[in-house]
Amino acid sequence: MKLKALFASACLMVVGASAQAAEVELTLSHWVPATHMLQAGGMEPWAKSINEASGGRINITIYPASQLGAAPDHYDMARDGIVDIGFINPGYQPGRFPILAAGEIPFLISDAKSGSRALDEWYRQYSAKEMSDVYVCMVHVHDPGTLHGTKGPIQVPADLKGKNIRPAHATMARLVSSLGAASVQVPAGEMRELISKGAADMTASPWNSIYTFGLQDVTKHHLDMPFYVTTFAFVMNKAKIDGLEPQDRKVIDDHCTSEWAEKMASKWADAEAAGRQKMIDAGGHTFYKPTPDEVNLWKQATASLEGEWAAAATKAGIDAKSAWASLAETLKKYDANVK
């Protein structure tokens, strides 16, 4: 009987060991500084929550500041398994992700927190269509940004004519070109060098990123108006995620939600919004606040972008009219639409 008990105990130990998932090490690569609030206030709490929810089985190591590759390459890096998780700005690859580009259209999303939740919820209908070769964990946006320049005025669309402008993404690149400006597109981390060398007169950016990327002493003129947002996504290597043990896959799925998209954006949004007051307090900056009529000039200047998006989205194989209506409805549901 004693021998049988020992044998039974040994069998239970083997079953228990086989049922327990192996430790999982994941790499998360991004291209903003390690000090950026997106890492401290978003990525790190997210990675910690995943580690805790998995009982310590899943560990995520974060590689900031383009250590593993250039900003525009992060989608392909995740797709090809160079990294397990890539943080991407889809607008850095013009025309590649035309459906998600809806979120780039100015005067559409009013708030980064609820707007991220809404955009993520909406995009889940379409992500498998244009990002089928990765696992799309979540999408989100930054706090509404605007234009910042080395000289003014920046008050109405006509003030952009003849300028060299660094746009935030492909949609804004088309906009500035339509207004008679030249688009000089580089990732956010290269803004400082671009402008300090005189290769660009203006850049599109949320407020505090001017400080994050060191432009506060070269961009002293600001369009004082919530203008646009930029879409972002966390995408994962499909084979890596599909190969997880069921309990670990559930942990990942539970952290790839619209609720987490809002959490990821929230502290960053607060930090960006605070940048405007920081500039006011610092002094030496000129803020150009458009009148209601001048705001309408900006809205008229951007009016064609919805039609351009619809044409590209239709070409991508979706019902653009239905998709746009769905996006508008979802933004309204979360009170994230521009009134």
Side-chain angles (χ1 to χ4, degrees):
M1 292 292 293
K2 190 172 182 180
L3 186 61
K4 286 184 178 179
L6 287 170
F7 180 75
S9 176
C11 287
L12 284 172
M13 288 174 67
V14 171
V15 169
S18 65
Q20 186 176 6
E23 290 188 359
V24 178
E25 292 287 341
L26 299 177
T27 56
L28 190 171
S29 179
H30 67 84
W31 34 269
V32 297
T35 54
H36 198 288
M37 185 52 71
L38 180 60
Q39 175 164 327
M43 297 180 198
E44 289 176 5
W46 179 72
K48 181 180 179 183
S49 181
I50 287 174
N51 181 263
E52 291 174 349
S54 68
R57 294 187 308 273
I58 303 175
N59 182 64
I60 297 175
T61 302
I62 301 172
Y63 293 89
S66 297
Q67 290 180 33
L68 302 183
D73 296 336
H74 273 60
Y75 181 92
D76 293 332
M77 288 162 58
R79 181 197 64 191
D80 298 340
I82 297 170
V83 299
D84 300 313
I85 309 166
F87 171 66
I88 69 167
N89 176 342
Y92 283 170
Q93 294 185 306
R96 188 172 184 182
F97 306 108
I99 301 173
L100 185 54
E104 298 173 353
I105 296 176
F107 303 111
L108 178 66
I109 297 175
S110 63
D111 174 75
K113 298 177 184 180
S114 55
S116 291
R117 187 185 185 108
L119 186 68
D120 181 272
E121 183 176 305
W122 171 80
Y123 189 60
R124 288 179 184 274
Q125 305 170 76
Y126 306 106
S127 60
K129 190 162 190 69
E130 70 177 358
M131 296 189 184
S132 61
D133 44 8
V134 296
Y135 173 89
V136 180
C137 176
M138 70 181 91
V139 304
H140 65 94
V141 299
H142 63 46
D143 191 64
T146 189
L147 293 171
H148 312 268
T150 58
K151 52 191 172 184
I154 315 174
Q155 183 98 16
V156 294
D159 293 329
L160 274 57
K161 188 174 182 180
K163 303 293 195 305
N164 293 326
I165 302 175
R166 178 259 168 194
H169 44 62
T171 300
M172 183 160 286
R174 295 199 308 275
L175 171 63
V176 300
S177 295
S178 73
L179 295 175
S183 171
V184 188
Q185 190 161 11
V186 299
E190 298 174 28
M191 287 190 294
R192 165 77 192 190
E193 183 179 7
L194 185 75
I195 289 183
S196 63
K197 286 183 174 180
D201 307 299
M202 295 183 200
T203 187
S205 174
W207 289 99
N208 200 62
S209 284
I210 294 299
Y211 286 95
T212 301
F213 295 103
L215 282 86
Q216 67 274 13
D217 60 336
V218 291
T219 54
K220 295 287 192 176
H221 299 264
H222 313 276
L223 175 63
D224 194 8
M225 172 185 74
F227 190 18
Y228 77 97
V229 301
T230 298
T231 63
F232 302 96
F234 285 85
V235 298
M236 301 183 174
N237 179 262
K238 213 168 185 181
K240 186 77 172 187
I241 301 306
D242 289 345
L244 294 176
E245 294 290 339
Q247 63 267 43
D248 292 331
R249 175 61 185 261
K250 183 178 186 305
V251 171
I252 295 297
D253 289 342
D254 288 347
H255 285 78
C256 290
T257 64
S258 300
E259 291 81 5
W260 266 105
E262 181 172 355
K263 290 179 185 179
M264 186 65 74
S266 291
K267 288 188 178 179
W268 182 20
D270 290 340
E272 290 291 3
R276 179 179 176 276
Q277 188 60 49
K278 188 176 179 179
M279 283 185 193
I280 292 172
D281 294 342
H285 292 263
T286 303
F287 297 81
Y288 300 89
K289 183 77 172 176
T291 66
D293 286 344
E294 289 168 339
V295 171
N296 283 332
L297 290 177
W298 285 103
K299 289 183 176 180
Q300 290 167 21
T302 61
S304 64
L305 295 174
E306 181 185 336
E308 292 176 9
W309 171 83
T314 299
K315 191 174 180 180
I318 69 166
D319 181 338
K321 183 177 180 181
S322 174
W324 186 262
S326 174
L327 177 56
E329 181 181 343
T330 309
L331 288 170
K332 187 175 181 181
K333 171 184 171 182
Y334 290 107
D335 195 28
N337 58 312
V338 174
K339 307 297 191 293

PDB file of all heavy atoms in Angstrom, residues 108-109 114-126 258 322-337:
ATOM      1  N   LEU A 108     -12.016  64.975 -35.568  1.00  0.00           N
ATOM      2  CA  LEU A 108     -12.834  63.762 -35.449  1.00  0.00           C
ATOM      3  C   LEU A 108     -12.888  63.276 -34.009  1.00  0.00           C
ATOM      4  O   LEU A 108     -13.974  63.094 -33.456  1.00  0.00           O
ATOM      5  CB  LEU A 108     -12.265  62.662 -36.351  1.00  0.00           C
ATOM      6  CG  LEU A 108     -12.995  61.308 -36.306  1.00  0.00           C
ATOM      7  CD1 LEU A 108     -14.399  61.444 -36.882  1.00  0.00           C
ATOM      8  CD2 LEU A 108     -12.190  60.248 -37.057  1.00  0.00           C
ATOM      9  N   ILE A 109     -11.729  63.073 -33.391  1.00  0.00           N
ATOM     10  CA  ILE A 109     -11.652  62.518 -32.033  1.00  0.00           C
ATOM     11  C   ILE A 109     -11.270  63.634 -31.074  1.00  0.00           C
ATOM     12  O   ILE A 109     -10.254  64.303 -31.242  1.00  0.00           O
ATOM     13  CB  ILE A 109     -10.634  61.365 -31.971  1.00  0.00           C
ATOM     14  CG1 ILE A 109     -11.098  60.221 -32.891  1.00  0.00           C
ATOM     15  CG2 ILE A 109     -10.453  60.868 -30.542  1.00  0.00           C
ATOM     16  CD1 ILE A 109     -10.114  59.073 -32.995  1.00  0.00           C
ATOM     17  N   SER A 114     -11.300  58.360 -23.841  1.00  0.00           N
ATOM     18  CA  SER A 114     -12.490  57.704 -24.383  1.00  0.00           C
ATOM     19  C   SER A 114     -12.349  57.475 -25.882  1.00  0.00           C
ATOM     20  O   SER A 114     -12.895  56.515 -26.432  1.00  0.00           O
ATOM     21  CB  SER A 114     -13.741  58.535 -24.084  1.00  0.00           C
ATOM     22  OG  SER A 114     -13.603  59.861 -24.569  1.00  0.00           O
ATOM     23  N   GLY A 115     -11.578  58.341 -26.541  1.00  0.00           N
ATOM     24  CA  GLY A 115     -11.357  58.165 -27.971  1.00  0.00           C
ATOM     25  C   GLY A 115     -10.583  56.902 -28.276  1.00  0.00           C
ATOM     26  O   GLY A 115     -10.849  56.216 -29.272  1.00  0.00           O
ATOM     27  N   SER A 116      -9.614  56.568 -27.430  1.00  0.00           N
ATOM     28  CA  SER A 116      -8.859  55.327 -27.621  1.00  0.00           C
ATOM     29  C   SER A 116      -9.758  54.114 -27.432  1.00  0.00           C
ATOM     30  O   SER A 116      -9.691  53.149 -28.197  1.00  0.00           O
ATOM     31  CB  SER A 116      -7.691  55.274 -26.626  1.00  0.00           C
ATOM     32  OG  SER A 116      -6.731  56.251 -26.947  1.00  0.00           O
ATOM     33  N   ARG A 117     -10.586  54.163 -26.433  1.00  0.00           N
ATOM     34  CA  ARG A 117     -11.520  53.063 -26.187  1.00  0.00           C
ATOM     35  C   ARG A 117     -12.448  52.880 -27.380  1.00  0.00           C
ATOM     36  O   ARG A 117     -12.689  51.767 -27.854  1.00  0.00           O
ATOM     37  CB  ARG A 117     -12.329  53.348 -24.926  1.00  0.00           C
ATOM     38  CG  ARG A 117     -13.215  52.183 -24.473  1.00  0.00           C
ATOM     39  CD  ARG A 117     -14.074  52.615 -23.285  1.00  0.00           C
ATOM     40  NE  ARG A 117     -14.833  51.504 -22.766  1.00  0.00           N
ATOM     41  CZ  ARG A 117     -14.600  50.894 -21.622  1.00  0.00           C
ATOM     42  NH1 ARG A 117     -13.581  51.277 -20.869  1.00  0.00           N
ATOM     43  NH2 ARG A 117     -15.369  49.906 -21.209  1.00  0.00           N
ATOM     44  N   ALA A 118     -12.969  54.003 -27.887  1.00  0.00           N
ATOM     45  CA  ALA A 118     -13.905  53.943 -29.008  1.00  0.00           C
ATOM     46  C   ALA A 118     -13.228  53.455 -30.282  1.00  0.00           C
ATOM     47  O   ALA A 118     -13.756  52.595 -30.996  1.00  0.00           O
ATOM     48  CB  ALA A 118     -14.518  55.327 -29.236  1.00  0.00           C
ATOM     49  N   LEU A 119     -12.040  54.008 -30.585  1.00  0.00           N
ATOM     50  CA  LEU A 119     -11.353  53.623 -31.814  1.00  0.00           C
ATOM     51  C   LEU A 119     -10.977  52.144 -31.775  1.00  0.00           C
ATOM     52  O   LEU A 119     -11.112  51.427 -32.780  1.00  0.00           O
ATOM     53  CB  LEU A 119     -10.105  54.478 -32.017  1.00  0.00           C
ATOM     54  CG  LEU A 119      -9.378  54.260 -33.349  1.00  0.00           C
ATOM     55  CD1 LEU A 119     -10.231  54.760 -34.516  1.00  0.00           C
ATOM     56  CD2 LEU A 119      -8.013  54.960 -33.354  1.00  0.00           C
ATOM     57  N   ASP A 120     -10.515  51.676 -30.618  1.00  0.00           N
ATOM     58  CA  ASP A 120     -10.151  50.267 -30.494  1.00  0.00           C
ATOM     59  C   ASP A 120     -11.378  49.374 -30.699  1.00  0.00           C
ATOM     60  O   ASP A 120     -11.315  48.370 -31.427  1.00  0.00           O
ATOM     61  CB  ASP A 120      -9.540  50.006 -29.126  1.00  0.00           C
ATOM     62  CG  ASP A 120      -9.114  48.562 -28.951  1.00  0.00           C
ATOM     63  OD1 ASP A 120      -9.944  47.730 -28.529  1.00  0.00           O
ATOM     64  OD2 ASP A 120      -7.954  48.244 -29.262  1.00  0.00           O
ATOM     65  N   GLU A 121     -12.475  49.738 -30.069  1.00  0.00           N
ATOM     66  CA  GLU A 121     -13.701  48.938 -30.202  1.00  0.00           C
ATOM     67  C   GLU A 121     -14.141  48.881 -31.664  1.00  0.00           C
ATOM     68  O   GLU A 121     -14.523  47.826 -32.179  1.00  0.00           O
ATOM     69  CB  GLU A 121     -14.804  49.539 -29.335  1.00  0.00           C
ATOM     70  CG  GLU A 121     -16.106  48.756 -29.345  1.00  0.00           C
ATOM     71  CD  GLU A 121     -17.138  49.328 -28.396  1.00  0.00           C
ATOM     72  OE1 GLU A 121     -16.828  49.476 -27.196  1.00  0.00           O
ATOM     73  OE2 GLU A 121     -18.255  49.643 -28.863  1.00  0.00           O
ATOM     74  N   TRP A 122     -14.079  50.017 -32.340  1.00  0.00           N
ATOM     75  CA  TRP A 122     -14.487  50.074 -33.746  1.00  0.00           C
ATOM     76  C   TRP A 122     -13.552  49.263 -34.637  1.00  0.00           C
ATOM     77  O   TRP A 122     -14.002  48.489 -35.489  1.00  0.00           O
ATOM     78  CB  TRP A 122     -14.511  51.537 -34.206  1.00  0.00           C
ATOM     79  CG  TRP A 122     -14.698  51.710 -35.675  1.00  0.00           C
ATOM     80  CD1 TRP A 122     -15.873  51.635 -36.373  1.00  0.00           C
ATOM     81  CD2 TRP A 122     -13.664  51.990 -36.651  1.00  0.00           C
ATOM     82  NE1 TRP A 122     -15.641  51.845 -37.716  1.00  0.00           N
ATOM     83  CE2 TRP A 122     -14.306  52.068 -37.916  1.00  0.00           C
ATOM     84  CE3 TRP A 122     -12.290  52.187 -36.569  1.00  0.00           C
ATOM     85  CZ2 TRP A 122     -13.594  52.332 -39.088  1.00  0.00           C
ATOM     86  CZ3 TRP A 122     -11.584  52.445 -37.731  1.00  0.00           C
ATOM     87  CH2 TRP A 122     -12.234  52.508 -38.968  1.00  0.00           C
ATOM     88  N   TYR A 123     -12.251  49.402 -34.411  1.00  0.00           N
ATOM     89  CA  TYR A 123     -11.281  48.789 -35.318  1.00  0.00           C
ATOM     90  C   TYR A 123     -11.243  47.271 -35.208  1.00  0.00           C
ATOM     91  O   TYR A 123     -10.782  46.595 -36.132  1.00  0.00           O
ATOM     92  CB  TYR A 123      -9.890  49.371 -35.058  1.00  0.00           C
ATOM     93  CG  TYR A 123      -8.861  48.966 -36.085  1.00  0.00           C
ATOM     94  CD1 TYR A 123      -9.032  49.284 -37.436  1.00  0.00           C
ATOM     95  CD2 TYR A 123      -7.716  48.258 -35.715  1.00  0.00           C
ATOM     96  CE1 TYR A 123      -8.092  48.921 -38.386  1.00  0.00           C
ATOM     97  CE2 TYR A 123      -6.763  47.893 -36.657  1.00  0.00           C
ATOM     98  CZ  TYR A 123      -6.968  48.225 -37.984  1.00  0.00           C
ATOM     99  OH  TYR A 123      -6.035  47.858 -38.928  1.00  0.00           O
ATOM    100  N   ARG A 124     -11.734  46.716 -34.132  1.00  0.00           N
ATOM    101  CA  ARG A 124     -11.743  45.259 -33.980  1.00  0.00           C
ATOM    102  C   ARG A 124     -12.568  44.578 -35.079  1.00  0.00           C
ATOM    103  O   ARG A 124     -12.362  43.403 -35.362  1.00  0.00           O
ATOM    104  CB  ARG A 124     -12.231  44.868 -32.584  1.00  0.00           C
ATOM    105  CG  ARG A 124     -11.190  45.177 -31.532  1.00  0.00           C
ATOM    106  CD  ARG A 124     -11.581  44.860 -30.110  1.00  0.00           C
ATOM    107  NE  ARG A 124     -10.507  45.306 -29.231  1.00  0.00           N
ATOM    108  CZ  ARG A 124      -9.430  44.594 -28.920  1.00  0.00           C
ATOM    109  NH1 ARG A 124      -9.312  43.363 -29.398  1.00  0.00           N
ATOM    110  NH2 ARG A 124      -8.494  45.075 -28.136  1.00  0.00           N
ATOM    111  N   GLN A 125     -13.469  45.311 -35.695  1.00  0.00           N
ATOM    112  CA  GLN A 125     -14.231  44.767 -36.830  1.00  0.00           C
ATOM    113  C   GLN A 125     -13.352  44.580 -38.069  1.00  0.00           C
ATOM    114  O   GLN A 125     -13.660  43.769 -38.940  1.00  0.00           O
ATOM    115  CB  GLN A 125     -15.364  45.722 -37.219  1.00  0.00           C
ATOM    116  CG  GLN A 125     -16.323  46.109 -36.127  1.00  0.00           C
ATOM    117  CD  GLN A 125     -17.229  47.239 -36.587  1.00  0.00           C
ATOM    118  OE1 GLN A 125     -18.176  47.028 -37.359  1.00  0.00           O
ATOM    119  NE2 GLN A 125     -16.949  48.443 -36.126  1.00  0.00           N
ATOM    120  N   TYR A 126     -12.267  45.365 -38.156  1.00  0.00           N
ATOM    121  CA  TYR A 126     -11.506  45.455 -39.401  1.00  0.00           C
ATOM    122  C   TYR A 126     -10.035  45.070 -39.276  1.00  0.00           C
ATOM    123  O   TYR A 126      -9.349  44.932 -40.292  1.00  0.00           O
ATOM    124  CB  TYR A 126     -11.587  46.897 -39.939  1.00  0.00           C
ATOM    125  CG  TYR A 126     -12.996  47.397 -40.087  1.00  0.00           C
ATOM    126  CD1 TYR A 126     -13.527  48.320 -39.185  1.00  0.00           C
ATOM    127  CD2 TYR A 126     -13.822  46.916 -41.103  1.00  0.00           C
ATOM    128  CE1 TYR A 126     -14.838  48.770 -39.312  1.00  0.00           C
ATOM    129  CE2 TYR A 126     -15.132  47.362 -41.232  1.00  0.00           C
ATOM    130  CZ  TYR A 126     -15.640  48.287 -40.327  1.00  0.00           C
ATOM    131  OH  TYR A 126     -16.929  48.710 -40.459  1.00  0.00           O
ATOM    132  N   SER A 258     -10.382  46.919 -25.318  1.00  0.00           N
ATOM    133  CA  SER A 258     -10.661  48.354 -25.442  1.00  0.00           C
ATOM    134  C   SER A 258     -10.465  49.065 -24.115  1.00  0.00           C
ATOM    135  O   SER A 258     -10.066  50.244 -24.086  1.00  0.00           O
ATOM    136  CB  SER A 258     -12.090  48.560 -25.953  1.00  0.00           C
ATOM    137  OG  SER A 258     -12.263  47.951 -27.216  1.00  0.00           O
ATOM    138  N   SER A 322     -20.568  52.479 -44.423  1.00  0.00           N
ATOM    139  CA  SER A 322     -20.999  51.805 -43.206  1.00  0.00           C
ATOM    140  C   SER A 322     -19.944  51.915 -42.111  1.00  0.00           C
ATOM    141  O   SER A 322     -20.267  52.138 -40.934  1.00  0.00           O
ATOM    142  CB  SER A 322     -21.292  50.329 -43.512  1.00  0.00           C
ATOM    143  OG  SER A 322     -21.575  49.618 -42.336  1.00  0.00           O
ATOM    144  N   ALA A 323     -18.675  51.780 -42.499  1.00  0.00           N
ATOM    145  CA  ALA A 323     -17.589  51.847 -41.517  1.00  0.00           C
ATOM    146  C   ALA A 323     -17.507  53.237 -40.891  1.00  0.00           C
ATOM    147  O   ALA A 323     -17.301  53.375 -39.680  1.00  0.00           O
ATOM    148  CB  ALA A 323     -16.268  51.481 -42.176  1.00  0.00           C
ATOM    149  N   TRP A 324     -17.660  54.267 -41.719  1.00  0.00           N
ATOM    150  CA  TRP A 324     -17.603  55.635 -41.205  1.00  0.00           C
ATOM    151  C   TRP A 324     -18.767  55.902 -40.246  1.00  0.00           C
ATOM    152  O   TRP A 324     -18.572  56.513 -39.179  1.00  0.00           O
ATOM    153  CB  TRP A 324     -17.612  56.643 -42.340  1.00  0.00           C
ATOM    154  CG  TRP A 324     -17.419  58.056 -41.866  1.00  0.00           C
ATOM    155  CD1 TRP A 324     -18.379  58.994 -41.634  1.00  0.00           C
ATOM    156  CD2 TRP A 324     -16.163  58.674 -41.531  1.00  0.00           C
ATOM    157  NE1 TRP A 324     -17.814  60.161 -41.178  1.00  0.00           N
ATOM    158  CE2 TRP A 324     -16.460  59.998 -41.105  1.00  0.00           C
ATOM    159  CE3 TRP A 324     -14.838  58.242 -41.557  1.00  0.00           C
ATOM    160  CZ2 TRP A 324     -15.469  60.883 -40.713  1.00  0.00           C
ATOM    161  CZ3 TRP A 324     -13.849  59.134 -41.154  1.00  0.00           C
ATOM    162  CH2 TRP A 324     -14.169  60.447 -40.742  1.00  0.00           C
ATOM    163  N   ALA A 325     -19.947  55.434 -40.608  1.00  0.00           N
ATOM    164  CA  ALA A 325     -21.112  55.603 -39.739  1.00  0.00           C
ATOM    165  C   ALA A 325     -20.903  54.873 -38.411  1.00  0.00           C
ATOM    166  O   ALA A 325     -21.261  55.378 -37.344  1.00  0.00           O
ATOM    167  CB  ALA A 325     -22.373  55.091 -40.435  1.00  0.00           C
ATOM    168  N   SER A 326     -20.308  53.695 -38.487  1.00  0.00           N
ATOM    169  CA  SER A 326     -20.028  52.916 -37.282  1.00  0.00           C
ATOM    170  C   SER A 326     -19.021  53.631 -36.388  1.00  0.00           C
ATOM    171  O   SER A 326     -19.168  53.666 -35.160  1.00  0.00           O
ATOM    172  CB  SER A 326     -19.502  51.526 -37.662  1.00  0.00           C
ATOM    173  OG  SER A 326     -19.087  50.804 -36.538  1.00  0.00           O
ATOM    174  N   LEU A 327     -17.985  54.221 -37.004  1.00  0.00           N
ATOM    175  CA  LEU A 327     -16.988  54.952 -36.231  1.00  0.00           C
ATOM    176  C   LEU A 327     -17.627  56.160 -35.548  1.00  0.00           C
ATOM    177  O   LEU A 327     -17.394  56.409 -34.349  1.00  0.00           O
ATOM    178  CB  LEU A 327     -15.843  55.399 -37.138  1.00  0.00           C
ATOM    179  CG  LEU A 327     -14.754  56.245 -36.477  1.00  0.00           C
ATOM    180  CD1 LEU A 327     -14.142  55.538 -35.285  1.00  0.00           C
ATOM    181  CD2 LEU A 327     -13.675  56.610 -37.499  1.00  0.00           C
ATOM    182  N   ALA A 328     -18.422  56.909 -36.286  1.00  0.00           N
ATOM    183  CA  ALA A 328     -19.089  58.087 -35.719  1.00  0.00           C
ATOM    184  C   ALA A 328     -19.993  57.694 -34.553  1.00  0.00           C
ATOM    185  O   ALA A 328     -20.020  58.364 -33.509  1.00  0.00           O
ATOM    186  CB  ALA A 328     -19.898  58.801 -36.803  1.00  0.00           C
ATOM    187  N   GLU A 329     -20.697  56.586 -34.712  1.00  0.00           N
ATOM    188  CA  GLU A 329     -21.603  56.110 -33.664  1.00  0.00           C
ATOM    189  C   GLU A 329     -20.825  55.672 -32.420  1.00  0.00           C
ATOM    190  O   GLU A 329     -21.225  55.960 -31.288  1.00  0.00           O
ATOM    191  CB  GLU A 329     -22.422  54.942 -34.205  1.00  0.00           C
ATOM    192  CG  GLU A 329     -23.427  54.369 -33.223  1.00  0.00           C
ATOM    193  CD  GLU A 329     -24.195  53.188 -33.793  1.00  0.00           C
ATOM    194  OE1 GLU A 329     -24.201  53.005 -35.029  1.00  0.00           O
ATOM    195  OE2 GLU A 329     -24.784  52.448 -32.993  1.00  0.00           O
ATOM    196  N   THR A 330     -19.704  54.990 -32.631  1.00  0.00           N
ATOM    197  CA  THR A 330     -18.912  54.509 -31.499  1.00  0.00           C
ATOM    198  C   THR A 330     -18.259  55.668 -30.756  1.00  0.00           C
ATOM    199  O   THR A 330     -18.208  55.681 -29.519  1.00  0.00           O
ATOM    200  CB  THR A 330     -17.842  53.507 -31.970  1.00  0.00           C
ATOM    201  OG1 THR A 330     -18.461  52.505 -32.775  1.00  0.00           O
ATOM    202  CG2 THR A 330     -17.175  52.824 -30.774  1.00  0.00           C
ATOM    203  N   LEU A 331     -17.750  56.660 -31.488  1.00  0.00           N
ATOM    204  CA  LEU A 331     -17.184  57.834 -30.839  1.00  0.00           C
ATOM    205  C   LEU A 331     -18.254  58.579 -30.023  1.00  0.00           C
ATOM    206  O   LEU A 331     -18.001  59.012 -28.888  1.00  0.00           O
ATOM    207  CB  LEU A 331     -16.590  58.777 -31.881  1.00  0.00           C
ATOM    208  CG  LEU A 331     -15.291  58.296 -32.546  1.00  0.00           C
ATOM    209  CD1 LEU A 331     -14.939  59.190 -33.737  1.00  0.00           C
ATOM    210  CD2 LEU A 331     -14.135  58.253 -31.549  1.00  0.00           C
ATOM    211  N   LYS A 332     -19.434  58.694 -30.577  1.00  0.00           N
ATOM    212  CA  LYS A 332     -20.528  59.366 -29.872  1.00  0.00           C
ATOM    213  C   LYS A 332     -20.920  58.592 -28.615  1.00  0.00           C
ATOM    214  O   LYS A 332     -21.220  59.176 -27.573  1.00  0.00           O
ATOM    215  CB  LYS A 332     -21.730  59.521 -30.816  1.00  0.00           C
ATOM    216  CG  LYS A 332     -22.854  60.360 -30.237  1.00  0.00           C
ATOM    217  CD  LYS A 332     -23.958  60.577 -31.255  1.00  0.00           C
ATOM    218  CE  LYS A 332     -25.076  61.442 -30.678  1.00  0.00           C
ATOM    219  NZ  LYS A 332     -26.172  61.637 -31.673  1.00  0.00           N
ATOM    220  N   LYS A 333     -20.922  57.280 -28.726  1.00  0.00           N
ATOM    221  CA  LYS A 333     -21.258  56.403 -27.587  1.00  0.00           C
ATOM    222  C   LYS A 333     -20.365  56.702 -26.385  1.00  0.00           C
ATOM    223  O   LYS A 333     -20.831  56.678 -25.231  1.00  0.00           O
ATOM    224  CB  LYS A 333     -21.096  54.942 -28.036  1.00  0.00           C
ATOM    225  CG  LYS A 333     -21.183  53.900 -26.933  1.00  0.00           C
ATOM    226  CD  LYS A 333     -20.909  52.527 -27.522  1.00  0.00           C
ATOM    227  CE  LYS A 333     -20.763  51.468 -26.457  1.00  0.00           C
ATOM    228  NZ  LYS A 333     -20.437  50.125 -27.068  1.00  0.00           N
ATOM    229  N   TYR A 334     -19.101  57.002 -26.633  1.00  0.00           N
ATOM    230  CA  TYR A 334     -18.160  57.274 -25.546  1.00  0.00           C
ATOM    231  C   TYR A 334     -17.884  58.771 -25.366  1.00  0.00           C
ATOM    232  O   TYR A 334     -16.944  59.152 -24.664  1.00  0.00           O
ATOM    233  CB  TYR A 334     -16.846  56.526 -25.803  1.00  0.00           C
ATOM    234  CG  TYR A 334     -16.995  55.034 -25.651  1.00  0.00           C
ATOM    235  CD1 TYR A 334     -16.989  54.204 -26.786  1.00  0.00           C
ATOM    236  CD2 TYR A 334     -17.182  54.439 -24.416  1.00  0.00           C
ATOM    237  CE1 TYR A 334     -17.141  52.819 -26.664  1.00  0.00           C
ATOM    238  CE2 TYR A 334     -17.341  53.073 -24.284  1.00  0.00           C
ATOM    239  CZ  TYR A 334     -17.314  52.262 -25.402  1.00  0.00           C
ATOM    240  OH  TYR A 334     -17.468  50.900 -25.270  1.00  0.00           O
ATOM    241  N   ASP A 335     -18.695  59.598 -26.005  1.00  0.00           N
ATOM    242  CA  ASP A 335     -18.561  61.052 -25.913  1.00  0.00           C
ATOM    243  C   ASP A 335     -17.147  61.497 -26.296  1.00  0.00           C
ATOM    244  O   ASP A 335     -16.546  62.356 -25.657  1.00  0.00           O
ATOM    245  CB  ASP A 335     -18.898  61.530 -24.502  1.00  0.00           C
ATOM    246  CG  ASP A 335     -19.139  63.043 -24.439  1.00  0.00           C
ATOM    247  OD1 ASP A 335     -19.558  63.614 -25.472  1.00  0.00           O
ATOM    248  OD2 ASP A 335     -18.901  63.655 -23.388  1.00  0.00           O
ATOM    249  N   ALA A 336     -16.634  60.880 -27.351  1.00  0.00           N
ATOM    250  CA  ALA A 336     -15.271  61.175 -27.812  1.00  0.00           C
ATOM    251  C   ALA A 336     -15.276  61.862 -29.155  1.00  0.00           C
ATOM    252  O   ALA A 336     -14.215  62.013 -29.772  1.00  0.00           O
ATOM    253  CB  ALA A 336     -14.472  59.884 -27.887  1.00  0.00           C
ATOM    254  N   ASN A 337     -16.427  62.262 -29.648  1.00  0.00           N
ATOM    255  CA  ASN A 337     -16.528  62.924 -30.946  1.00  0.00           C
ATOM    256  C   ASN A 337     -16.415  64.435 -30.802  1.00  0.00           C
ATOM    257  O   ASN A 337     -16.829  65.001 -29.786  1.00  0.00           O
ATOM    258  CB  ASN A 337     -17.854  62.563 -31.623  1.00  0.00           C
ATOM    259  CG  ASN A 337     -19.065  62.936 -30.780  1.00  0.00           C
ATOM    260  OD1 ASN A 337     -19.119  62.644 -29.584  1.00  0.00           O
ATOM    261  ND2 ASN A 337     -20.054  63.575 -31.382  1.00  0.00           N
TER     262      ASN A 337
END
